[in-house]
Short mmCIF file of all heavy atoms in Angstrom, two decimals:
data_model
loop_
_atom_site.label_atom_id
_atom_site.label_comp_id
_atom_site.label_asym_id
_atom_site.label_seq_id
_atom_site.Cartn_x
_atom_site.Cartn_y
_atom_site.Cartn_z
N MET A 291 90.01 108.94 85.58
CA MET A 291 89.54 109.70 86.73
C MET A 291 90.76 110.20 87.52
O MET A 291 91.62 109.43 87.90
CB MET A 291 88.68 108.79 87.61
CG MET A 291 88.12 109.48 88.81
SD MET A 291 86.87 108.49 89.61
CE MET A 291 87.80 107.72 90.89
N ALA A 292 90.83 111.47 87.75
CA ALA A 292 91.94 112.05 88.50
C ALA A 292 91.71 111.88 89.99
O ALA A 292 90.59 111.94 90.47
CB ALA A 292 92.07 113.53 88.16
N SER A 293 92.79 111.63 90.70
CA SER A 293 92.66 111.47 92.14
C SER A 293 92.45 112.83 92.80
O SER A 293 92.89 113.85 92.30
CB SER A 293 93.90 110.80 92.72
OG SER A 293 95.02 111.62 92.51
N THR A 294 91.76 112.81 93.92
CA THR A 294 91.51 114.06 94.63
C THR A 294 92.75 114.47 95.40
O THR A 294 93.53 113.64 95.83
CB THR A 294 90.33 113.93 95.61
OG1 THR A 294 90.61 112.85 96.49
CG2 THR A 294 89.03 113.69 94.88
N THR A 295 92.93 115.76 95.56
CA THR A 295 94.07 116.28 96.29
C THR A 295 93.72 116.39 97.77
O THR A 295 92.69 116.94 98.11
CB THR A 295 94.47 117.66 95.75
OG1 THR A 295 94.70 117.55 94.35
CG2 THR A 295 95.72 118.17 96.42
N ARG A 296 94.57 115.86 98.61
CA ARG A 296 94.36 115.95 100.05
C ARG A 296 95.50 116.73 100.66
O ARG A 296 96.66 116.50 100.34
CB ARG A 296 94.37 114.56 100.69
CG ARG A 296 93.14 113.75 100.44
CD ARG A 296 93.32 112.44 101.16
NE ARG A 296 92.18 111.57 101.01
CZ ARG A 296 92.20 110.28 101.29
NH1 ARG A 296 93.30 109.73 101.71
NH2 ARG A 296 91.13 109.56 101.14
N THR A 297 95.17 117.64 101.52
CA THR A 297 96.20 118.34 102.29
C THR A 297 95.97 118.02 103.75
O THR A 297 94.83 117.80 104.18
CB THR A 297 96.16 119.86 102.07
OG1 THR A 297 94.83 120.32 102.30
CG2 THR A 297 96.56 120.22 100.66
N THR A 298 97.03 117.96 104.53
CA THR A 298 96.89 117.59 105.93
C THR A 298 96.89 118.83 106.81
O THR A 298 97.56 119.82 106.52
CB THR A 298 98.02 116.64 106.38
OG1 THR A 298 99.26 117.27 106.14
CG2 THR A 298 97.95 115.32 105.64
N HIS A 299 96.11 118.75 107.86
CA HIS A 299 96.01 119.81 108.86
C HIS A 299 95.92 119.14 110.22
O HIS A 299 95.85 117.92 110.31
CB HIS A 299 94.74 120.66 108.63
CG HIS A 299 94.68 121.31 107.30
ND1 HIS A 299 95.34 122.47 107.01
CD2 HIS A 299 94.04 120.94 106.16
CE1 HIS A 299 95.11 122.80 105.75
NE2 HIS A 299 94.33 121.88 105.21
N ARG A 300 95.89 119.93 111.27
CA ARG A 300 95.69 119.40 112.62
C ARG A 300 94.47 120.09 113.24
O ARG A 300 94.28 121.29 113.06
CB ARG A 300 96.90 119.68 113.50
CG ARG A 300 98.12 118.93 113.05
CD ARG A 300 98.47 117.86 114.03
NE ARG A 300 99.62 117.12 113.52
CZ ARG A 300 99.75 115.82 113.66
NH1 ARG A 300 98.83 115.13 114.28
NH2 ARG A 300 100.80 115.20 113.21
N SER A 301 93.67 119.30 113.94
CA SER A 301 92.51 119.87 114.63
C SER A 301 92.97 120.53 115.92
O SER A 301 94.13 120.39 116.34
CB SER A 301 91.49 118.77 114.93
OG SER A 301 91.98 117.92 115.96
N THR A 302 92.06 121.22 116.58
CA THR A 302 92.40 121.85 117.86
C THR A 302 92.72 120.80 118.91
O THR A 302 93.46 121.07 119.86
CB THR A 302 91.26 122.76 118.36
OG1 THR A 302 90.06 122.00 118.43
CG2 THR A 302 91.08 123.95 117.45
N ALA A 303 92.16 119.61 118.77
CA ALA A 303 92.45 118.51 119.69
C ALA A 303 93.78 117.84 119.38
O ALA A 303 94.24 116.98 120.12
CB ALA A 303 91.32 117.49 119.65
N GLY A 304 94.39 118.21 118.24
CA GLY A 304 95.68 117.64 117.88
C GLY A 304 95.61 116.46 116.94
O GLY A 304 96.64 115.88 116.60
N LYS A 305 94.40 116.09 116.50
CA LYS A 305 94.27 114.97 115.57
C LYS A 305 94.61 115.41 114.16
O LYS A 305 94.36 116.55 113.78
CB LYS A 305 92.84 114.42 115.59
CG LYS A 305 92.52 113.70 116.86
CD LYS A 305 91.30 112.83 116.68
CE LYS A 305 91.11 111.97 117.91
NZ LYS A 305 90.57 110.68 117.58
N LYS A 306 95.17 114.49 113.40
CA LYS A 306 95.54 114.78 112.01
C LYS A 306 94.28 114.77 111.14
O LYS A 306 93.45 113.88 111.26
CB LYS A 306 96.52 113.73 111.52
CG LYS A 306 97.24 114.08 110.25
CD LYS A 306 98.32 113.04 109.97
CE LYS A 306 99.19 113.45 108.83
NZ LYS A 306 100.23 112.45 108.59
N LEU A 307 94.16 115.76 110.27
CA LEU A 307 93.00 115.88 109.40
C LEU A 307 93.42 115.88 107.94
O LEU A 307 94.52 116.32 107.60
CB LEU A 307 92.25 117.19 109.67
CG LEU A 307 91.70 117.42 111.05
CD1 LEU A 307 91.15 118.84 111.15
CD2 LEU A 307 90.63 116.41 111.38
N TYR A 308 92.56 115.37 107.08
CA TYR A 308 92.72 115.47 105.64
C TYR A 308 91.68 116.45 105.13
O TYR A 308 90.50 116.34 105.47
CB TYR A 308 92.43 114.14 104.96
CG TYR A 308 93.60 113.22 104.80
CD1 TYR A 308 93.43 111.85 104.93
CD2 TYR A 308 94.86 113.70 104.47
CE1 TYR A 308 94.49 110.99 104.77
CE2 TYR A 308 95.92 112.84 104.30
CZ TYR A 308 95.73 111.48 104.45
OH TYR A 308 96.78 110.62 104.28
N ALA A 309 92.09 117.40 104.34
CA ALA A 309 91.15 118.31 103.68
C ALA A 309 91.12 117.92 102.22
O ALA A 309 92.12 118.00 101.52
CB ALA A 309 91.61 119.75 103.83
N VAL A 310 89.97 117.44 101.76
CA VAL A 310 89.79 117.03 100.37
C VAL A 310 89.27 118.23 99.61
O VAL A 310 88.32 118.88 100.02
CB VAL A 310 88.80 115.85 100.27
CG1 VAL A 310 88.67 115.38 98.84
CG2 VAL A 310 89.25 114.70 101.16
N ARG A 311 89.92 118.56 98.50
CA ARG A 311 89.56 119.75 97.73
C ARG A 311 89.00 119.35 96.37
O ARG A 311 89.35 118.31 95.82
CB ARG A 311 90.78 120.64 97.54
CG ARG A 311 91.35 121.15 98.84
CD ARG A 311 92.64 121.89 98.58
NE ARG A 311 93.27 122.30 99.83
CZ ARG A 311 93.12 123.48 100.37
NH1 ARG A 311 92.36 124.38 99.81
NH2 ARG A 311 93.73 123.78 101.49
N ASP A 312 88.15 120.22 95.81
CA ASP A 312 87.65 120.00 94.46
C ASP A 312 88.63 120.61 93.45
O ASP A 312 89.70 121.09 93.82
CB ASP A 312 86.23 120.54 94.29
CG ASP A 312 86.14 122.04 94.53
OD1 ASP A 312 87.19 122.72 94.63
OD2 ASP A 312 85.02 122.56 94.60
N LYS A 313 88.27 120.58 92.17
CA LYS A 313 89.18 121.06 91.12
C LYS A 313 89.49 122.54 91.24
O LYS A 313 90.56 122.99 90.84
CB LYS A 313 88.58 120.78 89.74
CG LYS A 313 88.60 119.32 89.40
CD LYS A 313 88.03 119.07 88.03
CE LYS A 313 88.04 117.58 87.73
NZ LYS A 313 87.41 117.27 86.46
N GLN A 314 88.58 123.32 91.82
CA GLN A 314 88.80 124.75 91.99
C GLN A 314 89.64 125.06 93.24
O GLN A 314 89.96 126.21 93.49
CB GLN A 314 87.47 125.52 92.08
CG GLN A 314 86.72 125.62 90.78
CD GLN A 314 85.99 124.34 90.42
OE1 GLN A 314 85.55 123.59 91.28
NE2 GLN A 314 85.88 124.07 89.13
N GLY A 315 89.95 124.04 94.03
CA GLY A 315 90.75 124.23 95.22
C GLY A 315 89.94 124.52 96.48
O GLY A 315 90.50 124.76 97.53
N ARG A 316 88.61 124.48 96.35
CA ARG A 316 87.75 124.71 97.52
C ARG A 316 87.62 123.42 98.32
O ARG A 316 87.71 122.33 97.77
CB ARG A 316 86.36 125.16 97.07
CG ARG A 316 86.38 126.50 96.36
CD ARG A 316 85.01 126.84 95.85
NE ARG A 316 84.56 125.77 94.94
CZ ARG A 316 83.70 125.96 93.96
NH1 ARG A 316 83.17 127.14 93.75
NH2 ARG A 316 83.35 124.97 93.19
N PHE A 317 87.39 123.56 99.63
CA PHE A 317 87.21 122.39 100.47
C PHE A 317 85.94 121.65 100.10
O PHE A 317 84.87 122.23 100.04
CB PHE A 317 87.14 122.78 101.96
CG PHE A 317 88.44 123.26 102.52
CD1 PHE A 317 88.55 124.51 103.08
CD2 PHE A 317 89.56 122.45 102.49
CE1 PHE A 317 89.74 124.95 103.60
CE2 PHE A 317 90.77 122.88 103.01
CZ PHE A 317 90.86 124.14 103.56
N LYS A 318 86.07 120.37 99.83
CA LYS A 318 84.92 119.53 99.53
C LYS A 318 84.51 118.74 100.77
O LYS A 318 83.34 118.58 101.06
CB LYS A 318 85.28 118.58 98.38
CG LYS A 318 84.12 117.83 97.78
CD LYS A 318 84.51 117.16 96.49
CE LYS A 318 85.00 115.76 96.76
NZ LYS A 318 85.26 115.00 95.55
N ASP A 319 85.52 118.26 101.50
CA ASP A 319 85.26 117.45 102.69
C ASP A 319 86.48 117.54 103.59
O ASP A 319 87.61 117.58 103.10
CB ASP A 319 85.01 116.00 102.28
CG ASP A 319 84.65 115.10 103.44
OD1 ASP A 319 84.08 115.61 104.42
OD2 ASP A 319 84.93 113.89 103.38
N ILE A 320 86.26 117.57 104.88
CA ILE A 320 87.36 117.49 105.84
C ILE A 320 87.08 116.26 106.69
O ILE A 320 86.01 116.12 107.26
CB ILE A 320 87.46 118.76 106.70
CG1 ILE A 320 87.85 119.94 105.83
CG2 ILE A 320 88.47 118.55 107.82
CD1 ILE A 320 87.98 121.24 106.56
N GLN A 321 88.04 115.35 106.74
CA GLN A 321 87.86 114.12 107.49
C GLN A 321 89.11 113.83 108.31
O GLN A 321 90.20 114.31 108.00
CB GLN A 321 87.57 112.95 106.55
CG GLN A 321 88.50 112.84 105.39
CD GLN A 321 88.03 111.88 104.32
OE1 GLN A 321 88.84 111.43 103.55
NE2 GLN A 321 86.78 111.56 104.24
N THR A 322 88.94 113.06 109.37
CA THR A 322 90.09 112.72 110.20
C THR A 322 90.96 111.74 109.43
O THR A 322 90.47 110.95 108.61
CB THR A 322 89.66 112.07 111.53
OG1 THR A 322 88.97 110.86 111.27
CG2 THR A 322 88.81 113.01 112.35
N TYR A 323 92.24 111.78 109.69
CA TYR A 323 93.19 110.88 109.04
C TYR A 323 92.80 109.44 109.33
O TYR A 323 92.83 108.58 108.45
CB TYR A 323 94.60 111.15 109.56
CG TYR A 323 95.63 110.17 109.06
CD1 TYR A 323 96.21 110.33 107.82
CD2 TYR A 323 95.99 109.08 109.83
CE1 TYR A 323 97.14 109.42 107.35
CE2 TYR A 323 96.92 108.17 109.37
CZ TYR A 323 97.49 108.35 108.13
OH TYR A 323 98.40 107.44 107.67
N GLU A 324 92.40 109.17 110.58
CA GLU A 324 92.04 107.82 111.00
C GLU A 324 90.90 107.27 110.14
O GLU A 324 90.96 106.14 109.64
CB GLU A 324 91.62 107.87 112.47
CG GLU A 324 91.29 106.54 113.09
CD GLU A 324 90.86 106.68 114.54
OE1 GLU A 324 90.55 107.80 114.99
OE2 GLU A 324 90.83 105.66 115.23
N ARG A 325 89.85 108.06 109.94
CA ARG A 325 88.70 107.62 109.16
C ARG A 325 89.06 107.45 107.69
O ARG A 325 88.67 106.47 107.05
CB ARG A 325 87.56 108.62 109.32
CG ARG A 325 86.23 108.07 108.87
CD ARG A 325 85.14 109.10 109.03
NE ARG A 325 84.88 109.69 107.73
CZ ARG A 325 84.50 110.92 107.51
NH1 ARG A 325 84.34 111.74 108.52
NH2 ARG A 325 84.30 111.37 106.31
N ALA A 326 89.82 108.40 107.14
CA ALA A 326 90.19 108.35 105.74
C ALA A 326 91.11 107.16 105.46
O ALA A 326 90.98 106.48 104.46
CB ALA A 326 90.87 109.65 105.34
N HIS A 327 92.04 106.91 106.37
CA HIS A 327 92.98 105.81 106.20
C HIS A 327 92.25 104.47 106.23
O HIS A 327 92.53 103.58 105.43
CB HIS A 327 94.03 105.88 107.30
CG HIS A 327 95.09 104.84 107.19
ND1 HIS A 327 95.95 104.77 106.13
CD2 HIS A 327 95.42 103.81 108.00
CE1 HIS A 327 96.77 103.75 106.30
NE2 HIS A 327 96.47 103.15 107.43
N ARG A 328 91.30 104.34 107.16
CA ARG A 328 90.52 103.10 107.25
C ARG A 328 89.73 102.86 105.97
O ARG A 328 89.64 101.74 105.48
CB ARG A 328 89.57 103.16 108.45
CG ARG A 328 89.05 101.81 108.86
CD ARG A 328 88.21 101.83 110.12
NE ARG A 328 88.78 102.58 111.21
CZ ARG A 328 88.15 103.59 111.83
NH1 ARG A 328 86.94 103.95 111.46
NH2 ARG A 328 88.71 104.22 112.83
N ALA A 329 89.16 103.92 105.40
CA ALA A 329 88.41 103.80 104.14
C ALA A 329 89.33 103.41 103.00
O ALA A 329 88.96 102.60 102.14
CB ALA A 329 87.71 105.11 103.83
N ASP A 330 90.56 103.95 102.97
CA ASP A 330 91.52 103.59 101.93
C ASP A 330 91.92 102.13 102.02
O ASP A 330 92.09 101.45 101.00
CB ASP A 330 92.78 104.46 102.03
CG ASP A 330 92.54 105.89 101.60
OD1 ASP A 330 91.51 106.15 100.94
OD2 ASP A 330 93.38 106.74 101.91
N LEU A 331 92.08 101.63 103.22
CA LEU A 331 92.45 100.22 103.40
C LEU A 331 91.32 99.28 102.98
O LEU A 331 91.57 98.19 102.48
CB LEU A 331 92.82 99.95 104.86
CG LEU A 331 94.10 100.59 105.37
CD1 LEU A 331 94.27 100.28 106.85
CD2 LEU A 331 95.31 100.11 104.59
N LYS A 332 90.10 99.72 103.18
CA LYS A 332 88.93 98.91 102.85
C LYS A 332 88.74 98.78 101.34
O LYS A 332 88.30 97.75 100.84
CB LYS A 332 87.69 99.56 103.46
CG LYS A 332 86.53 98.66 103.69
CD LYS A 332 85.39 99.48 104.23
CE LYS A 332 84.78 98.89 105.44
NZ LYS A 332 83.61 99.63 105.88
N LYS A 333 89.13 99.83 100.61
CA LYS A 333 88.94 99.88 99.18
C LYS A 333 89.96 99.01 98.46
O LYS A 333 91.14 99.01 98.80
CB LYS A 333 89.09 101.32 98.70
CG LYS A 333 88.50 101.60 97.35
CD LYS A 333 88.77 103.01 96.89
CE LYS A 333 88.23 104.06 97.84
NZ LYS A 333 88.47 105.42 97.37
N LYS A 334 89.54 98.24 97.48
CA LYS A 334 90.43 97.37 96.72
C LYS A 334 90.98 98.14 95.51
O LYS A 334 90.27 98.90 94.87
CB LYS A 334 89.68 96.15 96.20
CG LYS A 334 89.12 95.27 97.29
CD LYS A 334 90.15 94.27 97.71
CE LYS A 334 89.53 93.28 98.69
NZ LYS A 334 90.50 92.64 99.49
N SER A 335 92.24 97.89 95.20
CA SER A 335 92.84 98.52 94.02
C SER A 335 92.45 97.72 92.78
O SER A 335 91.94 96.60 92.87
CB SER A 335 94.35 98.56 94.15
OG SER A 335 94.88 97.26 94.05
N LYS A 336 92.69 98.28 91.60
CA LYS A 336 92.38 97.58 90.35
C LYS A 336 93.14 96.26 90.26
O LYS A 336 92.61 95.25 89.84
CB LYS A 336 92.73 98.46 89.15
CG LYS A 336 91.79 99.61 88.95
CD LYS A 336 92.21 100.44 87.75
CE LYS A 336 91.39 101.68 87.64
NZ LYS A 336 91.84 102.56 86.57
N GLY A 337 94.39 96.26 90.69
CA GLY A 337 95.21 95.06 90.66
C GLY A 337 94.68 93.96 91.55
O GLY A 337 94.69 92.78 91.20
N GLU A 338 94.18 94.34 92.72
CA GLU A 338 93.62 93.35 93.64
C GLU A 338 92.30 92.79 93.13
O GLU A 338 92.00 91.62 93.34
CB GLU A 338 93.39 93.98 95.02
CG GLU A 338 94.67 94.28 95.76
CD GLU A 338 94.42 95.01 97.06
OE1 GLU A 338 93.57 95.94 97.08
OE2 GLU A 338 95.08 94.69 98.06
N LYS A 339 91.52 93.61 92.44
CA LYS A 339 90.22 93.15 91.94
C LYS A 339 90.38 92.13 90.83
O LYS A 339 89.62 91.18 90.72
CB LYS A 339 89.41 94.34 91.40
CG LYS A 339 88.82 95.19 92.49
CD LYS A 339 88.03 96.34 91.90
CE LYS A 339 87.48 97.22 92.97
NZ LYS A 339 86.78 98.38 92.42
N THR A 340 91.38 92.28 89.97
CA THR A 340 91.53 91.41 88.81
C THR A 340 92.26 90.10 89.12
O THR A 340 92.31 89.24 88.26
CB THR A 340 92.27 92.14 87.67
OG1 THR A 340 93.54 92.58 88.15
CG2 THR A 340 91.47 93.32 87.17
N LYS A 341 92.83 89.95 90.31
CA LYS A 341 93.58 88.75 90.63
C LYS A 341 92.69 87.50 90.71
O LYS A 341 93.10 86.41 90.34
CB LYS A 341 94.35 88.92 91.94
CG LYS A 341 95.63 89.66 91.75
CD LYS A 341 96.49 89.58 92.97
CE LYS A 341 97.83 90.24 92.70
NZ LYS A 341 98.73 90.16 93.83
N HIS A 342 91.48 87.65 91.21
CA HIS A 342 90.62 86.48 91.39
C HIS A 342 89.64 86.33 90.29
O HIS A 342 89.05 86.90 89.65
CB HIS A 342 89.89 86.55 92.72
CG HIS A 342 90.81 86.21 93.86
ND1 HIS A 342 91.64 87.15 94.40
CD2 HIS A 342 91.04 85.07 94.52
CE1 HIS A 342 92.34 86.60 95.37
NE2 HIS A 342 91.98 85.33 95.46
#
């Protein structure tokens, strides 16, 4: 599975945004950096899953 490409932007309020794009380069989802980062931290990597 290929990882999705994220590009960073800034909102009018000055918050950092991630723009998630599909394979054609179109916007699939735009999320705040804060929300995306929290979701990344919550997700376990393959290495962490196999340790226990």
Side-chain angles (χ1 to χ4, degrees):
M291 181 169 98
S293 63
T294 56
T295 305
R296 286 181 179 165
T297 53
T298 57
H299 301 279
R300 294 249 177 218
S301 71
T302 55
K305 290 197 172 214
K306 194 172 189 180
L307 299 173
Y308 271 143
V310 183
R311 298 173 185 265
D312 61 10
K313 289 181 181 176
Q314 288 78 31
R316 296 175 302 207
F317 290 122
K318 190 168 92 174
D319 184 29
I320 294 180
Q321 49 192 201
T322 62
Y323 174 83
E324 183 181 15
R325 195 181 101 212
H327 183 63
R328 197 175 313 124
D330 288 344
L331 292 177
K332 203 183 229 185
K333 199 184 301 181
K334 298 272 186 202
S335 70
K336 288 179 187 175
E338 289 175 318
K339 284 180 182 177
T340 57
K341 278 191 175 182
H342 285 83

